[in-house]
Amino acid sequence: RPVPDRAVKIQYVTENRRPAPESHDWAMSFTHFDPPHPRHFRLPLYAWYLRQYNGGLEALVRGPGEIPGTDRARFCNFVARNWLCRERNSLFKKLSEYKQVDAPGSLMNNMPSIPQAEGEPDSPAKQRFCRGYKFTIAYENSSTPGYTTEKITDAMMARSVPIYWGNPLVHLDFNPKAFINRHDFASDEAFVEYIIAVDNDDALYSQIA
């Protein structure tokens, strides 16, 4: 139905679409406006997820006594259903040539789905699952500056090292020493080679985790 002229129009963009604050009273999204837009508030999807399911950004900080997951039984997981991201699909296949990458989602599925209580949201169930893995492939569906979703924080909450691609400015949101960033490498081959090196060096892994 038509929006009354007196209504305050607020746009909240969670997916990879540029907001239009000029056509709304206020807009919230992942976008870095330069210069800042006076009617835009940056609120990436990961921040909402952390507040909704984990209590906020503070939950990402490793507490006293938490140790890196060098002794975790499984190597790496891949939880996805969107098949349109060629970069993500390619990384899965190349990394799988080294070791088994467990994929409980509908994309590249090679194991049973993640156990989930009736009515339980996806994110907490995924975080529980990721706790059994040293690494988590945390690729976004697409790449745009500022566009960061819950994928990297789900891995961080599980204390599983995120293998990330998507937002080329992700280092503005998160400590670049806390994940392995595809944007830092010239090729998939160099990226996979580094992941393998980290997997085989507990001291190197501990510096990231």
Side-chain angles (χ1 to χ4, degrees), residues 103-130:
S106 57
L107 181 62
M108 308 297 183
N109 179 263
N110 59 16
M111 66 178 296
S113 59
I114 297 173
Q116 197 165 350
E118 184 176 355
E120 182 183 27
D122 290 343
S123 195
K126 179 184 173 185
Q127 292 173 20
R128 216 168 38 241
F129 171 79
C130 291

Side-chain angles (χ1 to χ4, degrees), residues 7-148:
V8 175
K9 293 180 285 186
I10 300 174
Q11 181 188 36
Y12 181 35
V13 179
T14 60
E15 293 301 335
N16 194 356
R17 290 176 49 238
R18 189 171 178 84
E22 64 279 355
S23 60
H24 294 75
D25 294 290
W26 300 97
M28 298 180 290
S29 77
F30 61 84
T31 307
H32 291 285
F33 278 98
D34 187 17
H37 195 289
R39 296 198 307 276
H40 175 264
F41 178 72
R42 186 166 184 266
L43 184 64
L45 186 60
Y46 74 79
W48 183 89
Y49 265 70
L50 284 170
R51 178 60 60 188
Q52 179 74 9
Y53 301 121
N54 306 114
L57 289 166
E58 298 81 3
L60 294 178
V61 179
R62 196 163 65 211
E66 284 194 76
I67 59 174
T70 52
D71 59 347
R72 294 188 179 185
R74 308 298 295 177
F75 165 57
C76 182
N77 73 84
F78 174 87
V79 184
R81 52 177 170 256
N82 186 328
W83 57 273
L84 294 175
C85 181
R86 290 178 294 177
E87 291 81 0
R88 185 167 56 199
N89 299 346
S90 176
L91 188 277
F92 171 84
K93 293 173 182 177
K94 289 175 180 178
L95 199 56
S96 294
E97 293 175 2
Y98 163 63
K99 277 185 181 180
Q100 166 85 14
V101 177
D102 288 346
S106 57
L107 181 62
M108 308 297 183
N109 179 263
N110 59 16
M111 66 178 296
S113 59
I114 297 173
Q116 197 165 350
E118 184 176 355
E120 182 183 27
D122 290 343
S123 195
K126 179 184 173 185
Q127 292 173 20
R128 216 168 38 241
F129 171 79
C130 291
R131 282 194 173 274
Y133 293 82
K134 290 177 69 176
F135 302 93
T136 294
I137 295 177
Y139 272 40
E140 306 289 1
N141 293 335
S142 55
S143 177
T144 294
Y147 177 59
T148 313

Side-chain angles (χ1 to χ4, degrees), residues 188-205:
D188 271 357
E189 288 68 29
F191 189 47
V192 170
E193 184 177 335
Y194 182 72
I195 294 168
I196 292 172
V198 173
D199 183 45
N200 287 287
D201 187 333
D202 286 352
L204 185 57
Y205 181 94

